[in-house]
Amino acid sequence: MALAVGGLLLLAVLAVVLRGPLYPGGDALSALGWGDEILAGNRPNFDVWAPAKHPLTIAVGAFASLFGPSTAITLLIAFSLASFGLLGYAAYRFARLLGGPLAGGVAALVLLTRPGVIELLATGQKDLPFAALTLLAATLFAEGPRRNWLRALVLLAIAGLIRPEAWLLSALLAAWVAIRGEPGRRVAAIALAASAPLGWALTDLALTGNPLHTFLERRTRGDGVRTDLIESGESVLVDPSPLDRFANAIEIGILRTLTVGVAIGGLLAFAIVAWQARRAPRGERWGSVHAPLGWVAAGAMLATGVGAVAAFSLLNTPVAGRFLLVPASVLVVAWAALIWVGGEQSTGPRLRALALAGLLAGVITLALAIPDNLDDINETTDESELFAGVYDGAVDLAAMDVVADEVARCDGLAIGPPDLLVAAARVQIAMELGVTMREIPVRQLDRAPPGAAVFRADGGAGPGPPGDAEPLAAFGGWSFYGCE
């Protein structure tokens, strides 16, 4: 019954979300392009426009690229939808463990209808599968650590190929197994915990020659304000302070995504559970809390997620609100679990009243946020339609015979003007033309190499090709200029 209700809930949410098109964003398209180049035997070029590379997303991109540009996009969308559904299932199952089936349904409903989560679905961001795998691993461990530790570690190892935050959770779980397990289990646990960082290092080594390339490179993109200086053709990044980076991520990834009421309610749930354990006699503290391992796992995910963003901010590494999807999911689950805490007689009247107040605060702030949330979802839909139009127009233009013939005649290619949307579009242009992204540099087009054919996004700012050249072909907001 619970699974049936959850399935209907997911279908209802998807019916709302799918009012507009889904289309992979720049990160997903970059992974697709890199995968395509790797399968062609080329080493990808991780230039200034490249997002951070993640081994699992590159592997998914490589698999999708086998089926051509159009089908590859469909496969990436399907992967994003599957991740979205898995996140809802993981949230339901974890909240059910902590607070019963009703709490599970509430947690899944609230989480899947957050505009920030819907945006991740619409653009195919890797944070969705990462959060889903992490949350499901924690649930399995909390439901039965002795029988599920291996499955939990496998899920965390996979998640660790998407984001490094899972490495610490894997290390904590491996340490638990090492302390309590048999020698054979210790070896397996340590090997699984080490597999993700080792896999990441080997990927970096194979693609760049530096096993620490992802973590040592300084990328000129992130939360800073990118300013393209048309006069000089250069780009500079105005970096905020570490505190501003962290505060901005918290505001976007937790407070704006969940509402203040849900975030505070989730923290209140942790405080109530900790108070219950503290008040119990010393030998009974563990048993005084419902699903104690679940709360421990939730606390570990919350601490590692927020701590990782704090560390990235201090290290002057670009951060984004979506990096906090796991802590945000944990807070939603904890807030929903107040349903059980508020109805549990052993909690005591004051704590029950406090739990119900936390629930009510979340409900009120969620209700008040509905108009803004609808505006955010509509904005996401509009952006997705824009992405679809830009990318599809680029592919259709590149597929024209006159374009292919001119590209074969010219000495090179260029695409511009330089911005992230144009940089992502070159992935599909490259796949359609059978060239690598390295062969289509993103640049100010008045500085295009002599003898190069040029793809120009007509909506972009900045100077175009030199002289009074007329486009050889145009389609879907793009123009194509042949070589002189």
Side-chain angles (χ1 to χ4, degrees):
M1 179 63 180
L3 286 177
V5 172
L8 291 174
L9 173 66
L10 179 59
L11 289 176
V13 171
L14 288 177
V16 174
V17 172
L18 294 179
R19 291 181 302 118
L22 305 179
Y23 211 92
D27 285 16
L29 285 177
S30 294
L32 175 65
W34 294 333
D36 182 56
E37 293 187 6
I38 291 170
L39 291 182
N42 301 311
R43 176 177 286 187
N45 180 32
F46 301 105
D47 60 16
V48 67
W49 299 102
K53 54 193 175 299
H54 301 76
L56 187 60
T57 58
I58 294 177
V60 171
F63 172 76
S65 71
L66 292 172
F67 301 91
S70 179
T71 303
I73 297 301
T74 302
L75 290 174
L76 291 181
I77 293 173
F79 181 72
S80 184
L81 284 168
S83 301
F84 182 77
L86 184 61
L87 177 62
Y89 170 73
Y92 167 80
R93 190 163 166 178
F94 196 25
R96 184 186 65 180
L97 173 69
L98 299 183
L102 180 58
V106 169
L109 175 63
V110 171
L111 184 59
L112 294 185
T113 53
R114 297 304 83 216
V117 177
I118 292 173
E119 182 180 2
L120 296 179
L121 165 65
T123 56
Q125 286 288 0
K126 53 190 166 290
D127 305 270
L128 276 181
F130 172 73
L133 291 168
T134 304
L135 215 60
L136 189 57
T139 304
L140 288 172
F141 173 73
E143 288 177 344
R146 292 192 176 277
R147 72 174 185 274
N148 290 333
W149 67 268
L150 182 59
R151 285 189 287 176
L153 271 174
V154 169
L155 291 177
L156 287 176
I158 298 172
L161 295 174
I162 304 175
R163 294 202 59 83
E165 291 93 319
W167 301 355
L168 183 54
L169 293 173
S170 294
L172 291 173
L173 180 50
W176 182 90
V177 174
I179 293 172
R180 295 173 173 265
E182 301 170 356
R185 290 187 172 186
R186 293 172 187 167
V187 173
I190 293 173
L192 280 171
S195 62
L198 181 60
W200 205 303
L202 290 175
T203 300
D204 269 4
L205 180 63
L207 297 182
T208 69
N210 180 0
L212 300 178
H213 181 266
T214 299
F215 304 99
L216 296 180
E217 66 175 332
R218 178 170 175 78
R219 299 186 305 276
T220 55
R221 63 165 301 187
D223 288 342
V225 179
R226 179 181 292 280
T227 304
D228 290 307
L229 304 179
I230 301 303
E231 297 78 12
S232 66
E234 297 175 352
S235 293
V236 298
L237 189 69
V238 181
D239 286 324
S241 69
L243 182 59
D244 287 339
R245 285 176 180 272
F246 180 71
N248 186 56
I250 292 291
E251 179 187 356
I252 295 175
I254 292 183
L255 299 182
R256 194 182 301 176
T257 297
L258 302 184
T259 74
V260 174
V262 173
I264 293 177
L267 294 174
L268 180 62
F270 278 101
I272 291 175
V273 169
W275 179 256
Q276 281 182 291
R278 186 176 182 276
R279 289 183 59 192
R282 183 175 298 273
E284 300 177 11
R285 288 180 178 176
W286 189 256
S288 66
V289 176
H290 175 67
L293 270 181
W295 287 103
V296 170
M301 288 188 291
L302 182 63
T304 55
V306 174
V309 169
F312 293 155
S313 300
L314 287 173
L315 293 173
N316 205 30
T317 301
V319 296
R322 57 186 172 84
F323 293 2
L324 291 164
L325 181 57
V326 170
S329 302
V330 169
L331 288 175
V332 169
V333 167
W335 171 75
L338 286 174
I339 294 173
W340 182 88
V341 175
E344 178 62 26
Q345 295 301 314
S346 62
T347 304
R350 292 183 179 179
L351 290 183
R352 288 204 305 273
L354 192 60
L356 293 175
L359 270 174
L360 184 60
V363 171
I364 292 174
T365 55
L366 285 171
L368 292 175
I370 287 176
D372 289 339
N373 289 346
L374 292 177
D375 289 341
D376 290 341
I377 293 173
N378 287 331
E379 183 178 344
T380 295
T381 299
D382 293 341
E383 289 179 354
S384 189
E385 290 174 346
L386 171 64
F387 293 161
V390 170
Y391 298 144
D392 288 344
V395 171
D396 290 340
L397 179 62
M400 292 183 178
D401 291 338
V402 65
V403 171
D405 293 342
E406 187 70 6
V407 167
R409 186 180 73 86
C410 296
D411 295 332
L413 291 168
I415 186 172
D419 63 44
L420 297 177
L421 195 62
V422 169
R426 71 172 169 165
V427 174
Q428 291 181 276
I429 291 177
M431 292 180 66
E432 184 66 36
L433 294 175
V435 300
T436 68
M437 288 190 290
R438 187 190 301 272
E439 298 176 73
I440 312 180
V442 179
R443 60 177 66 227
Q444 294 292 353
L445 295 181
D446 59 345
R447 292 177 172 81
V454 169
F455 287 89
R456 172 178 168 80
D458 295 334
D468 299 323
E470 291 293 327
L472 191 62
F475 190 86
W478 287 85
S479 297
F480 175 78
Y481 296 82
C483 51
E484 297 179 356

